[in-house]
Structures are given as structure tokens and as C-alpha cells.
Amino acid sequence: MARDRLTGSEKRALLLWVAVGILGIWFAQKYFFQAFPEASVNFQISREEALARARRFVSGLGENPSGYKSSIIFDVDDDAKVYLERQVGLREANRLMSSELHIWYWEARFFKPLEQEEFELRVSPSGQIVGYAHKIEEARPGASLDRAAAESVAQNFLSAKLGVNLRAWDALPEEANSKKKPNRTDWTFTWEKHGFRAKDAPYRLQVTVEGDRIGGSEETLKVPDAWERSYERLRSTNDTLELVFTVLYIVLLVVAVWFGIKLSLQGQTRWRGAILLGLLVAALLFLQGLNEWPLWSSSYDTRVSYGTFLAGKLGSALLFAVLSALTITLVLPAAEPLYRSFSPERLRLFKTLTLGGLRSKEFFSASVVGLALAAVHIGYVVGFYVVANRLGAWAPQEVSYQESVNTLFPWISGAAIGLLAATNEEFTFRLFAIPFFSKFTKSRWLAVIVPAFLWSFLHSNYPQEPAYTRGIEIGLIGIVAGIVMLRWGILATLIWHYTVDASLVGLFLLRSNSLYFKVSGAVVAAAAVAPLLFAGISCLARGGFEPDEHLRN
């Protein structure tokens, strides 16, 4: 049997893609942290040690946390973080957050189902207890201390249990207040860090006394109300843009479903492949939901039974998986026939993963281009934000920490996110939208540009400012993706999209200090390059590519 081989022009084109991809990776590696500054968290204790310290602290107060369920997550006071970054600059914000202020922390929780009493603690990355809350019943009996006695209890707690030097804090008498409960009196006292201001925000320490026992303590940056309102107004533009383009996305989905029904009645489409793919995506997304089991307890409401809570979590995970998969299953019956008529020389979508499709020249070429485009994309995003930051655009710093993926199987997140993004968005905004708009506008340029920006502005609710920043960034790469689909087929953009989204998880895992996370990141990366490896090895072993005329649209 005669074998297909790459022509001279095809070899040159693929080599050019590889070269540009390598350049993109080099650029991204060199300038990544200039484009996306990463807040530096100095982790001196692990997640497990933070939980152990929280448990010891509760025991040291004379409480007994044994028999309680527990949870622990890493969290950040996002309002304070954003305020510092925008008002005092990234360098000063990092200095303050790593030295004087406790903005990020491990949040540990001890609770019992259907019991109101629970303990919540914040443990700094260095292992210091920086927040405590003991929730009890409103009617629990307790003392009714006068102000002086209650304040003395609070001061003793701060100095003896938290090691706070009260000489560095100014008491705020006007903030002291009491609240009469059915069988006790609770007091709240507030101190302000002496001589400290982050622009207009003081740093405060508040202690609650419940009867004659400590009810809680919390350190917070008191962000001015006026600034919070102005930032909410700023963010409202992002929300409005996202809402407008979400409506347009729903309209596009409705049109796709209508087209799918119409083409089905004409016998031009089959649902079997779409249903099977939808089931695969749903299963992977459901597994991703189950994968977050270790994090569920942090959001448990003790007023409901634990069994009901778990059932609700399982139901939510299943509902999300099914609804997400439906956006693929319902679009594909319309998209695939339009693609067949639009690109008759390309491989049929459902034949690409057959043995013949995997051994074809188009599959190999699309794999090379898809992976190279992903590398170019990563370099492009870094370059975009290097320039955008100098022009006044803004995005909050990333908070990276080695224990962030507190899941059973971290690789599932990369695979699920990558597969959902690739299939849902590529099938809707490339496979369906480009042939659809081309058919009705008679312009391939409009058919590429319009879906690119319909897709990009769906991401407007990301934290970047101005609100249109993310839409422009993604829209430009969306135009490139549309052109790639016209030249190399939908498979190239599917591989590109999966690789970029999976890389967000995979590269982070590879950078961690955990061997298990590194292996998980390697699994995610291997899934992205597997198609190219198979096609390349098959070509070398067989002396060429398998003819694919019988597999084309």
C-alpha cells in the first residue's frame, strides 16, 4: 500500500510552527513573573502541621476537640490583598503581607454534625495562630462581666495565648460594645496597630469575650468603605460584559440546537457519537467533583445532617457534570454536518480517533500545529500582559503554594478542565460558529472574528482591569485559532485548547515540591503530547502515513 508523506512545503510549515512554539516557551519562561507577579508565601509548616497546631491550641484553652470532624484549607483575605496591591503597589504589598500583616493563612475547622458548637482557627504559613472563633449556642449560660473585667480577660488571652505585645497596639474605647444574651453578656474589644496605615487602611485586632471565656479573635485590614464601593463599581463593568456575552452565548446554543434538530430530521447527522462524548465528559467532570472530597467539610453547615450535606454535594457534582456535558452533546449534531460541508478535505471528526485516523498525515500535522500553537499561546499571553501592565492594565498577584491541590488525584482536574474547555468551546465557537457565520455572512473573515470575540468576552469576569482587557487578549488568540482551523482542521484547535487549559494545572503541579504532584503533572502533560507521539512513532514504524481519502468529510 502506498504511504502518504509530507511534502516539502508541509515540512517547512510544520518546522516553522515548531520554531515559533519553542520561541513562545522561551519567552514565557523568561518573562512569566514580569507579566504575572506571584505573591511569595513562605511556608514553614505543612497542611498537616497547621491542623495539628490548631488542635493543640484549642486543647490549650481547656477545650476538648477530640471526637470532632476536621477540615483545613488554605485561604486569603482577598479584599485586603487586592486593596494593598492597588493602593501601595505590588512590592510594598508583598513586603507587608510577608511581614507585618496576616493576609493568607491555613483555615482549620473542628465541628460535629447537627451541633452548633465548633472551632475555627487561622494559622499563618509560619505556624502562628492568627485567628480563633468558638461558636456556641445563644442560650449557653455564662458570666455577665462588667467592661473592665471582660477587657482584662481579652488582654490576658492576647498576651498569654497569642503572644501579642499590647504596647504595639492602641485600644479603641469607642469600638468596645456589649451584647446581652439570654444567660450571659458578651463583649467585643478592638485594638489598632500603632502607627500603621496602608494608604488609608488601619490594621485591627478584635477579641470577643463570651461570658468569661474567649469567643474569638481576628486580625483584619480595615479597608475603607468608600474604596470598597468604588471597587465594586469598577467590577460591575466586568459583570455586565460577562452577562451580555452570556446571553449571546445562550442564543448561539439555541441556534445550534435548532440546527441540530433540523439536520437530524433531514438525516444529515447522528447523535450516537455526541452522546458517547457527552457521557465521557460527564463522567470525568463527576470524578473531578468527587476528587474535591477533602475540601467539602470546610463548607459544611452543621444545621443539616452530614449525610444530607454529602448527598447535596454529590448531587451538585452530578448536575454540573450533566449540564456541562449537554452543552457538548447538543451542539455537536449541528456542528459536525456543517463542518463536513465547510471543510470537505478534512478528516471526519468521528474518524480522527480510529486507527486509520491516528495514522494519517492530517492527524500528525494537526498534533504538531496544536501543540506548537499552545506554546505560542503561552508566550503570547505573557507578552500581552507585559505590554498591558505598562499601559496601565492590572491583575492581582497569583498566590502559589505547594498544598493547593488538596484533592485525591490531582491529575483528574487537569484532564477534566482541559477536556471540557476544548470540547465545549471549540465545538461551539469554532466547529459550529465558523461554518455557520460563513454560511450566512458569506465572509470567512467575519466567520472567524465574530465567534472569536463572542467567546473571548465570556471571560470578562476575570479580575483583570480594565474590564475589556481579557476580552481583547482572548479574542486575538481566538482569531488565530480560527485561522488554524481553516488551514489545519478542528483537531489542531482541540489539541491546542486542551493543552493550554490542562497546562494551567499540570505546570503548577510540576513546580510543586511534592513528588506525587510532580507525577500528577507529568500525567497531565503526557495526555497532551500522546497524540503526537503515537502519530510520529506510527509514521516511523510504517514508513509513512496511512492514506485517509476514505476518512474525509
Side-chain angles (χ1 to χ4, degrees):
M1 179 185 294
R3 301 292 180 192
D4 276 351
R5 287 180 171 80
L6 295 171
T7 65
S9 62
E10 288 171 334
K11 289 178 182 178
R12 288 190 293 273
L14 294 181
L15 286 173
L16 180 60
W17 271 108
V18 171
V20 177
I22 292 173
L23 181 62
I25 291 295
W26 173 83
F27 187 87
Q29 187 275 333
K30 185 174 179 63
Y31 296 102
F32 183 86
F33 292 109
Q34 183 177 329
F36 303 105
E38 188 174 276
S40 178
V41 183
N42 181 21
F43 281 94
Q44 299 178 31
I45 61 169
S46 67
R47 180 174 181 262
E48 291 75 18
E49 176 60 21
L51 185 62
R53 292 193 182 199
R55 184 177 280 108
R56 287 197 297 270
F57 184 84
V58 173
S59 299
L61 294 177
E63 306 291 348
N64 183 13
S66 63
Y68 283 68
K69 293 182 179 293
S70 65
S71 70
I72 185 165
I73 59 173
F74 189 79
D75 208 352
V76 60
D77 183 344
D78 201 54
D79 289 343
K81 175 178 173 292
V82 169
Y83 176 84
L84 289 170
E85 290 173 356
R86 289 185 69 89
Q87 296 300 103
V88 304
L90 298 182
R91 180 174 297 180
E92 178 65 7
N94 270 340
R95 187 191 69 79
L96 291 172
M97 291 187 288
S98 62
S99 58
E100 299 184 50
L101 313 181
H102 296 115
I103 302 300
W104 41 61
Y105 42 80
W106 296 106
E107 187 164 85
R109 184 186 185 201
F110 303 97
F111 62 93
K112 288 183 178 179
L114 300 178
E115 291 190 15
Q116 187 170 348
E117 184 174 21
E118 65 176 271
F119 304 91
E120 292 183 358
L121 297 96
R122 292 179 176 180
V123 185
S124 72
S126 63
Q128 179 184 353
I129 303 297
V130 295
Y132 169 73
H134 181 201
K135 296 182 180 179
I136 60 174
E137 306 86 351
E138 289 282 304
R140 178 175 290 194
S144 293
L145 302 180
D146 59 26
R147 173 172 173 164
E151 188 169 10
S152 177
V153 171
Q155 290 173 342
N156 288 337
F157 169 76
L158 290 174
S159 58
K161 297 298 183 180
L162 294 184
V164 173
N165 179 9
L166 286 173
R167 286 177 295 182
W169 297 80
D170 300 323
L172 301 180
E174 68 278 10
E175 296 288 335
N177 62 78
S178 63
K179 179 178 284 189
K180 183 66 179 174
K181 296 296 174 73
N183 300 303
R184 67 176 192 273
T185 300
D186 293 351
W187 283 89
T188 300
F189 301 96
T190 304
W191 289 261
E192 197 167 274
K193 194 173 182 67
H194 181 72
F196 177 87
R197 277 291 191 281
K199 191 74 175 194
D200 299 316
Y203 193 58
R204 290 187 173 178
L205 173 59
Q206 188 175 79
V207 178
T208 300
V209 179
E210 297 171 338
D212 59 354
R213 299 180 68 84
I214 294 298
S217 68
E218 183 180 22
E219 296 182 27
T220 55
L221 186 72
K222 185 68 172 69
V223 176
D225 292 339
W227 187 89
E228 286 189 331
R229 287 192 296 270
S230 68
Y231 187 65
E232 286 176 3
R233 287 194 296 270
L234 181 70
R235 292 295 301 162
S236 68
T237 306
N238 298 69
D239 297 335
T240 301
L241 271 176
E242 184 192 38
L243 177 61
V244 168
F245 282 87
T246 297
V247 171
L248 294 176
Y249 169 58
I250 293 172
V251 170
L252 189 62
L253 284 180
V254 171
V255 171
V257 172
W258 177 79
F259 248 81
I261 294 172
K262 179 181 176 181
L263 294 173
S264 297
L265 294 175
Q266 296 173 0
Q268 296 185 44
T269 189
R270 295 179 181 177
W271 286 77
R272 182 174 179 273
I275 292 171
L276 290 176
L277 181 59
L279 289 173
L280 173 63
V281 172
L284 197 55
L285 289 175
F286 184 61
L287 284 176
Q288 182 191 15
L290 296 181
N291 202 32
E292 296 175 356
W293 180 288
L295 305 177
W296 287 1
S297 293
S298 63
S299 62
Y300 168 57
D301 184 346
T302 56
R303 291 174 296 182
V304 302
S305 74
Y306 201 62
T308 300
F309 168 74
L310 291 180
K313 282 290 188 179
L314 289 170
S316 297
L318 182 60
L319 181 63
F320 174 76
V322 171
L323 291 179
S324 299
L326 279 176
T327 63
I328 299 165
T329 299
L330 295 178
V331 167
L332 199 49
E336 198 270 338
L338 286 177
Y339 179 66
R340 283 204 313 266
S341 61
F342 183 74
S343 301
E345 75 286 359
R346 297 288 163 215
L347 285 177
R348 273 177 281 166
L349 182 63
F350 293 118
K351 294 294 184 180
T352 54
L353 296 181
T354 63
L355 197 56
L358 292 170
R359 292 172 174 171
S360 67
K361 181 168 67 173
E362 180 177 329
F363 190 94
F364 174 81
S365 299
S367 298
V368 172
V369 172
L371 289 173
L373 179 58
V376 171
H377 185 174
I378 294 170
Y380 155 75
V381 172
V382 170
F384 181 92
Y385 282 102
V386 166
V387 174
N389 292 343
R390 292 179 179 176
L391 295 177
W394 176 87
Q397 292 183 108
E398 299 290 331
V399 180
S400 179
Y401 50 98
Q402 64 178 13
E403 297 286 1
S404 67
V405 190
N406 296 317
T407 55
L408 298 173
F409 303 102
W411 61 267
I412 290 179
S413 295
I417 292 169
L419 184 60
L420 175 63
T423 52
N424 173 291
E425 297 174 22
E426 290 309 300
F427 288 167
T428 303
F429 295 102
R430 245 72 66 186
L431 190 71
F432 172 75
I434 289 179
F436 173 78
F437 281 102
S438 180
K439 181 181 179 71
F440 288 98
T441 66
K442 308 302 180 184
S443 168
R444 288 205 166 193
W445 278 110
L446 285 177
V448 167
I449 293 171
V450 172
F453 285 99
L454 286 176
W455 167 58
S456 69
F457 277 93
L458 275 175
H459 301 76
S460 296
N461 202 34
Y462 280 65
Q464 283 87 346
E465 298 294 343
Y468 54 78
T469 305
R470 191 84 164 121
I472 294 175
E473 172 223 323
I474 297 178
L476 294 176
I477 199 67
I479 292 174
V480 175
I483 295 170
V484 166
M485 193 200 87
L486 295 181
R487 172 62 182 85
W488 302 98
I490 189 63
L491 180 62
T493 65
L494 285 169
I495 292 174
W496 152 70
H497 208 139
Y498 171 85
T499 303
V500 170
D501 283 77
S503 294
L504 297 176
V505 175
L507 291 177
F508 172 75
L509 291 170
L510 289 170
R511 287 175 52 210
S512 75
N513 294 326
S514 164
L515 178 61
Y516 179 56
F517 285 177
K518 288 180 183 293
V519 172
S520 298
V523 170
V524 174
V529 300
L532 176 61
L533 289 176
F534 181 89
I537 293 171
S538 175
C539 173
L540 292 174
R542 298 167 65 84
F545 301 105
E546 190 167 308
D548 59 7
E549 288 84 358
H550 60 296
L551 302 177
R552 295 178 186 173
N553 285 328

